[in-house]
Amino acid sequence: MARSPRVPWKRPNPRKRAGKASKHLSPRKKAAAKAAARRAGRRYPNLVDNMRMAAKTKRRTKTSGRKRAAYERPAAKSAAKKRKTAKAKATKASTRKRGGRAREKDPRGGLTAAGRKAFAEKQGAHLKPGVMKKESEMTPQDMRRKGSWAVRFYGRKKLPPLVDDRGRPTRHALSAHAWGEPVPKTVAAARRIAAKGERLLQRYKRASQKG
């Protein structure tokens, strides 16, 4: 036969056994326990009503904790929302800044009008668009400009990379598009543009001598 547990008043105080100080009810809780004992026809003080009031105190403490969490939760959400908004603004500003820089460069090669204007403001350089005319339509100045560009970019002894790791043309190679030339992907193609530039410079010299 199972042994029935001892009633609380016959068990030792667990707090004393754990070496902790006993907790006492507040005067208000004692008055409530006394009133409960009177309604039940029990003598007071007694452990039953005191334990019941102590249990109610614990439950109310937990409830107040939940209420406190409910009050704190909106504040935490508000702070998180502010952080998220600030982060979104920073990302947007960074994207706008990157976009502004990207618009200064033509994705097909060379600079845009905004890019040439930015160079003029920063470095005082007066850059002009590349010459894209046919040779038969070029003026001597056009020949000089395009010939000088072609030799300077693709006639140097050691060329910069013309393609990246994925086989895409680099900005150096794409500059040919801004001057009306096919984008070189090999050294041989780049040297052909340089040779064309040398021919244009020779034509410019002959035209200058005649003038």
Side-chain angles (χ1 to χ4, degrees):
M1 186 174 177
R3 186 178 177 182
S4 60
R6 289 189 295 173
V7 290
W9 50 85
K10 289 188 178 181
R11 292 200 301 265
N13 189 336
R15 294 189 66 84
K16 285 185 179 180
R17 190 167 51 190
K20 298 179 181 179
S22 298
K23 288 186 176 181
H24 300 282
L25 293 176
S26 65
R28 184 179 177 183
K29 298 299 179 185
K30 283 183 180 179
K34 188 175 182 179
R38 190 184 304 114
R39 286 194 300 270
R42 288 188 292 268
R43 289 187 300 174
Y44 191 82
N46 65 73
L47 188 59
V48 173
D49 293 301
N50 284 349
M51 287 178 65
R52 185 174 295 159
M53 291 310 300
K56 285 184 178 180
T57 304
K58 289 180 181 178
R59 282 198 296 272
R60 287 183 182 177
T61 303
K62 290 180 180 178
T63 304
S64 63
R66 285 197 297 270
K67 287 182 179 179
R68 194 183 309 112
Y71 286 125
E72 291 173 355
R73 201 174 295 120
K77 284 184 178 179
S78 178
K81 189 175 181 181
K82 286 181 180 179
R83 287 195 298 270
K84 189 176 180 181
T85 304
K87 187 177 180 180
K89 285 183 179 179
T91 304
K92 190 174 181 181
S94 178
T95 304
R96 193 183 300 116
K97 190 175 181 181
R98 287 198 302 270
R101 286 198 298 267
R103 282 192 293 272
E104 292 177 2
K105 294 181 179 180
D106 190 332
R108 296 172 299 177
L111 297 174
T112 61
R116 291 189 291 272
K117 184 178 179 181
F119 260 87
E121 292 174 353
K122 294 176 184 177
Q123 302 180 11
H126 299 287
L127 301 178
K128 297 179 181 179
V131 178
M132 302 183 72
K133 300 176 184 177
K134 296 179 181 179
E135 286 190 41
S136 58
E137 299 174 353
M138 289 184 190
T139 64
Q141 292 300 322
D142 293 337
M143 295 177 190
R144 181 187 63 80
R145 287 186 60 227
K146 187 164 185 176
S148 177
W149 161 80
V151 173
R152 187 172 68 254
F153 264 64
Y154 301 119
R156 62 183 72 179
K157 290 183 179 180
K158 187 176 181 180
L159 287 173
L162 299 173
V163 292
D164 60 13
D165 297 337
R166 297 183 181 180
R168 298 175 301 185
T170 60
R171 293 296 303 178
H172 188 83
L174 287 172
S175 62
H177 181 272
W179 290 82
E181 296 295 326
V183 177
K185 292 187 177 181
T186 61
V187 175
R191 297 305 185 198
R192 283 195 293 271
I193 297 175
K196 183 178 180 179
E198 290 176 355
R199 290 196 301 271
L200 288 172
L201 289 176
Q202 290 174 1
R203 287 185 60 187
Y204 164 71
K205 288 179 182 179
R206 288 196 297 268
S208 299
Q209 289 172 357
K210 288 180 181 179

